[in-house]
Amino acid sequence: MQKSKNTSVLLGAAFIMATSAIGPGFLVQTAKFTNSYKANFGFVVLISVLLSMIVQLNVWRVLCVSEMRGQDIANKLLPGLGYFVAFLVALGGLVFNIGNVGGSALGFNTLLGIPKMAGYFISGGVAITIFLLKNAAKAMDTLTKVLGGCMIIVIFIVILIVKPPIGLAVKDTFLPSESISNLIPAILTLLGGTVGGYITFSGAHRLIDAKITKEENLDEINRSSIMGIGIATLVRVLLFLAILGVVVKGVSLAAENPAADAFRQGAGEIGYRFFGLVLLSAAITSIVGAAYTSVSFLKTFNKNIEKHEKWVIIGFIVVSTIIMAIAGNPATLLILAGSLNGLILPVTLGICLVASQNKSIMGENYRHPKVLLILGIIVVLITAYLGVVSLGSLTKLFS
């Protein structure tokens, strides 16, 4: 019985991480880059997946073996650092959640024709209902698994309709015809969108809450971690193939909503409705994941937050929904969120790498794999560069 329960939680942790990554921005990114790079986008996906795996394995091992959440590890290394990290992650999570609410409303509108204003509040209401249930953690796991599976099935159906050039996609994935230097910005963008900000912590914090921790559970922790990246990758690859099957025919996608346009041009009106279902599933699961993880970064700082965690999460969703309803299109906030995302990953990964060598955090007997440590340092340097570049977008706030 315990093994069955663990399997459910491990899969739930993998899905909450994956579906946190697969939000409205994920869909737009994939469509935009496939439209720009065609089959070469496969190489972008391949490299970003390898880098994401390095980040995920490092972070999940350190958090789960130490039984400490990201902010607590940071505070242990340097008192006060955890508050800074928690502020960054929670602020980034709030802003992304505003976008998730907007994406969900757009999904309701595309699928059922529901007006966007009503869609904002329905979206918030659906997410809040999950946390009002008696066993909210189990409901969250179930929702992310069901809607994640739904996305995979729907996108696969569209692939069967558009018949993408699989051979060309495979060739350009491993031997891109595009200059690799031209693909670097897309690789960095995908990396931030897959494991940046709160995303990589979502599953690890779920495992800590479920008490699947310590060195003796490393095999299960690693398996859940790899599953999370695997699920996000599967959706990314299927979406890439579905859109590639449209753009290789010389179709130019609408800039304002390239993913929806690809589904419509590839599979007609039913394809457009399918996209609404994919967008709705992606956005709802991202609202749940962002709210849960953002609050998990705050709850250890105040016993009242931990004691009333469910209501704080609900409040987080309510605030996100109201801001989206008032702002309508929070473009300025989303620019700030993009910059925050670029900064959070190297900071949090760097903290985890330092912690991995600290016996007072990891225990006397733990030995962090040297290969993971070295590869992690390389990713920190790459993402630090991305963070510096992303700061440039802040100037747009004042233009």
Side-chain angles (χ1 to χ4, degrees):
M1 187 71 180
Q2 182 62 33
K3 187 175 180 183
S4 172
K5 182 185 174 186
N6 278 7
T7 301
S8 178
V9 172
L10 292 170
L11 194 56
F15 264 97
I16 194 173
M17 176 268 143
T19 53
S20 291
I22 307 164
F26 177 102
L27 304 179
V28 173
Q29 278 176 8
T30 305
K32 179 185 169 191
F33 287 134
T34 304
N35 191 37
S36 299
Y37 301 120
K38 308 298 188 289
N40 291 288
F41 183 61
F43 178 79
V44 174
V45 173
L46 176 65
I47 300 303
S48 66
V49 166
L50 294 175
L51 295 175
S52 297
M53 199 79 79
I54 293 165
V55 174
Q56 185 102 321
L57 284 170
N58 272 299
V59 171
W60 284 38
R61 284 178 73 103
V62 170
L63 266 61
C64 292
V65 171
S66 69
E67 300 182 274
M68 297 169 70
R69 295 178 183 84
Q71 71 275 18
D72 298 323
I73 286 176
N75 260 353
K76 182 97 174 175
L77 286 175
L78 180 65
L81 181 60
Y83 293 97
F84 172 71
V85 169
F87 172 76
L88 273 184
V89 172
L91 178 61
L94 175 64
V95 179
F96 287 124
N97 227 24
I98 295 165
N100 291 335
V101 171
S104 180
L106 189 58
F108 273 119
N109 180 260
T110 304
L111 182 64
L112 302 170
I114 294 172
K116 277 193 258 186
M117 183 58 75
Y120 299 147
F121 292 101
I122 294 171
S123 304
V126 170
I128 287 168
T129 300
I130 296 298
F131 293 103
L132 284 174
L133 296 174
K134 187 175 181 182
N135 193 339
K138 186 177 179 183
M140 182 173 64
D141 289 347
T142 302
L143 178 81
T144 53
K145 282 186 275 191
V146 169
L147 292 184
C150 178
M151 281 188 277
I152 292 168
I153 292 167
V154 169
I155 297 169
F156 186 71
I157 292 170
V158 174
I159 287 175
L160 295 178
I161 295 170
V162 301
K163 299 182 176 66
I166 304 291
L168 177 64
V170 172
K171 181 186 81 68
D172 281 2
T173 293
F174 295 97
L175 294 169
S177 54
E178 180 85 29
S179 164
I180 290 176
S181 62
N182 291 341
L183 300 175
I184 288 174
I187 292 169
L188 296 176
T189 300
L190 253 64
L191 180 63
T194 306
V195 290
Y198 67 89
I199 297 168
T200 194
F201 292 95
S202 54
H205 284 194
R206 176 73 188 96
L207 291 182
I208 290 171
D209 284 344
K211 305 285 190 283
I212 299 178
T213 53
K214 299 184 179 177
E215 204 167 343
E216 60 261 30
N217 288 312
L218 258 181
D219 286 346
E220 289 184 317
I221 293 161
N222 287 338
R223 192 163 72 249
S224 182
S225 172
I226 291 168
M227 271 195 297
I229 293 293
I231 294 162
T233 301
L234 176 61
V235 176
R236 180 88 75 180
V237 169
L238 291 177
L239 191 60
F240 157 57
L241 291 173
I243 295 166
L244 182 64
V246 176
V247 298
V248 291
K249 295 167 185 169
V251 171
S252 184
L253 301 181
E256 64 273 10
N257 200 344
D261 194 41
F263 275 60
R264 174 174 260 163
Q265 296 207 46
E269 192 59 30
I270 191 169
Y272 185 64
R273 301 295 177 188
F274 274 172
F275 175 76
L277 182 56
V278 170
L279 177 57
L280 180 60
S281 300
I284 289 286
T285 51
S286 291
I287 292 171
V288 170
Y292 167 78
T293 312
S294 297
V295 173
S296 76
F297 266 86
L298 301 174
K299 69 181 185 180
T300 51
F301 294 146
N302 188 298
K303 289 197 182 298
N304 285 325
I305 293 177
E306 187 166 13
K307 185 179 176 183
H308 303 291
E309 180 183 10
K310 176 174 76 174
W311 296 107
V312 177
I313 292 172
I314 288 170
F316 190 92
I317 295 169
V318 168
V319 170
S320 304
T321 304
I322 291 172
I323 292 175
M324 185 68 226
I326 293 171
N329 183 19
T332 301
L333 286 172
L334 290 172
I335 291 170
L336 177 60
S339 299
L340 281 172
N341 209 28
L343 289 168
I344 292 168
L345 181 53
V347 171
T348 51
L349 177 56
I351 287 167
C352 288
L353 293 177
V354 173
S356 74
Q357 306 303 302
N358 189 313
K359 291 189 184 301
S360 69
I361 292 173
M362 304 303 299
E364 288 295 326
N365 300 320
Y366 177 77
R367 298 288 180 273
H368 197 70
K370 277 201 164 43
V371 173
L372 269 184
L373 178 64
I374 292 166
L375 291 174
I377 291 168
I378 292 169
V379 176
V380 167
L381 296 174
I382 291 170
T383 52
Y385 168 75
L386 169 64
V388 171
V389 171
S390 75
L391 279 174
S393 67
L394 285 174
T395 58
K396 297 176 187 175
L397 288 170
F398 308 103
S399 60

